């Protein structure tokens, strides 16, 4: 049924097409109030301190309606921008810019929001991990429908890393898979037998299950609902044999304590699930 693994470039083009189609439909009646040959200049202002992310999506929306538009960025992708900063200046057909405005800003605001939140978590654990390789902040598959690639891109811009992109991008064995397959040893053997070429991760719910997974050769283990004390014990038991990841219930109040146990990765669904868009505005400044 589904035979293509979408790339970021594919997704960007689809996001632009879909958001414009959703908003404009058969036409923008209000934009027709402006003379067809009118050209304008506009500026985009950051109204709060945030990480700028999504410039390609913003440009894509405007250029789709006016291929000759000129967009100048005063701040770079991934920069932390202060409130009041003019991040971009635009010269475009007035009708095209007015029709593209909401779609372009929606994508820029949402992706900047994801990048900004991610950076908060990354900075929260800076220097606290005893792990010689450090501790990475990861996203999950809890993303907005149709915006998976875009949001995971924003996580990277914010300094985080990506968990598997989608079901095709990795095997994650959870408690129901273990129960249905007949146990940890059986399910890990079945996963290896697929010769999929993708990573294999197994979730464990106790130190005993961790020891069993390690004995079966697991190289990537998710610690589910472990206390801080048990996380630290898991790191000691593991002795660097597998990548250890913590997920579930992580927030800015707990992430430093988790990183301090020495685990390798912390995955956080709210980076892409509970998104608060950054406040940006576009204003026409002259003809």
């Amino acid at each position: 049924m589904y035979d293509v693994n979408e790339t970021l470039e594919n997704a960007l083009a689809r996001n632009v097409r879909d958001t414009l189609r959703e908003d404009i439909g058969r036409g923008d009646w209000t934009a027709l109030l402006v003379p067809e040959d009118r050209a304008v200049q506009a500026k985009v202002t950051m109204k709060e301190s945030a990480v700028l992310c999504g410039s390609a999506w913003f440009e894509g929306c405007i250029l789709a309606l006016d291929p000759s538009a000129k967009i100048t960025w005063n701040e770079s992708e991934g920069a932390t921008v202060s409130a009041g900063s003019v991040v971009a200046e635009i010269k475009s057909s007035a009708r095209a810019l007015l029709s593209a405005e909401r779609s372009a800003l929606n994508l820029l605001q949402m992706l900047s929001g994801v990048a900004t939140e991610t950076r908060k978590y990354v900075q929260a654990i800076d220097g606290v991990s005893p792990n010689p390789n450090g501790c990475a902040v990861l996203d999950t598959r809890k993303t907005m429908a149709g915006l998976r690639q875009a949001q995971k891109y924003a996580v990277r811009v914010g300094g985080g890393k990506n968990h598997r992109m989608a079901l095709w991008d990795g095997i994650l064995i959870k408690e129901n898979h273990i129960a249905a397959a007949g146990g940890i040893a059986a399910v890990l053997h079945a996963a290896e037998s697929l010769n999929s070429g993708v990573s294999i991760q197994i979730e464990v719910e106790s130190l005993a299950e961790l020891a069993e997974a390690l004995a079966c050769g697991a190289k990537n283990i998710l610690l589910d609902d472990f206390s801080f004390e048990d996380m630290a014990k898991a790191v000691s038991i593991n002795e660097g044999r597998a990548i250890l990841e913590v997920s579930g219930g992580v927030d800015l109040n707990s992430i430093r304590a988790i990183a301090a146990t020495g685990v390798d990765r912390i995955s956080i669904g709210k980076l892409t699930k509970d998104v608060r868009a950054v406040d940006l505005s576009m204003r026409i400044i002259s003809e």
Side-chain angles (χ1 to χ4, degrees):
M1 181 185 298
Y2 306 110
D3 58 358
V4 175
N5 295 335
E6 190 176 49
T7 66
L8 178 60
E9 292 74 20
N10 297 152
L12 194 162
R14 176 177 54 76
N15 296 155
V16 168
R17 182 189 68 242
D18 289 351
T19 192
L20 290 173
R21 177 181 293 167
E22 175 183 62
D23 203 27
I24 297 172
R26 290 186 172 182
D28 177 358
W29 289 107
T30 317
L32 296 179
L33 302 177
V34 177
E36 185 176 7
D37 61 352
R38 183 70 51 84
V40 295
Q41 296 182 42
K43 63 180 181 180
V44 178
T45 303
M46 186 75 77
K47 301 186 75 174
E48 61 182 297
S49 178
V51 176
L52 180 65
C53 180
S55 56
W57 282 259
F58 181 88
E59 288 187 6
C61 289
I62 295 172
L63 294 174
L65 301 186
D66 179 7
S68 65
K70 304 298 182 185
I71 304 167
T72 302
W73 292 94
N74 299 327
E75 302 286 352
S76 59
E77 187 86 342
T80 299
V81 181
S82 59
S85 298
V86 175
V87 297
E89 298 173 72
I90 307 157
K91 295 180 181 180
S92 173
S93 155
R95 284 188 179 182
L97 185 60
L98 291 167
S99 293
E101 175 184 1
R102 187 70 268 149
S103 295
L105 283 175
N106 282 349
L107 289 166
L108 188 65
Q109 291 176 158
M110 182 273 294
L111 295 177
S112 294
V114 172
T116 301
E117 188 71 3
T118 301
R119 188 155 299 173
K120 290 178 184 176
Y121 279 87
V122 171
Q123 291 176 340
I125 63 171
D126 184 39
V128 72
S129 175
N131 190 317
N133 298 316
C135 182
V137 171
L138 275 69
D139 52 27
T140 71
R141 286 169 48 242
K142 294 178 181 178
T143 54
M144 296 179 181
L147 292 167
R148 172 77 54 81
Q149 286 273 5
Q151 287 191 293
K152 282 181 171 278
Y153 163 80
V155 166
R156 297 195 298 274
V157 170
K161 296 184 179 180
N162 296 147
H163 206 288
R164 59 177 179 165
M165 183 62 64
L167 293 174
W168 51 260
D169 192 37
I171 296 171
L172 173 50
I173 304 165
K174 305 197 76 158
E175 65 274 12
N176 285 336
H177 299 101
I178 294 170
I184 287 174
V187 77
L188 282 172
H189 176 72
E192 294 287 353
S193 297
L194 292 176
N195 294 315
S196 62
V198 300
S199 65
I200 300 171
Q201 183 179 41
I202 187 165
E203 180 182 80
V204 299
E205 298 180 320
S206 66
L207 292 173
E209 287 188 353
L210 170 68
E212 184 180 357
L214 289 170
C216 293
K219 299 300 182 185
N220 194 334
I221 300 175
L222 179 63
L223 309 179
D224 179 46
D225 201 25
F226 275 45
S227 65
F228 296 142
E229 182 182 1
D230 280 351
M231 289 177 199
K233 288 180 179 178
V235 171
S236 178
I237 292 168
N238 181 48
E239 295 182 320
R241 287 176 286 175
I243 294 170
L244 295 185
E245 178 183 331
V246 170
S247 184
V250 181
D251 59 27
L252 286 169
N253 294 319
S254 63
I255 192 169
R256 283 184 66 83
I258 295 171
T261 66
V263 296
D264 299 281
R265 313 192 318 186
I266 304 172
S267 51
I268 307 165
K270 64 177 60 181
L271 297 180
T272 54
K273 180 175 69 72
D274 302 335
V275 179
R276 188 190 71 80
V278 165
D279 194 3
L280 288 154
S281 70
M282 182 191 295
R283 290 289 183 270
I284 290 175
I285 54 176
S286 68
E287 299 184 4

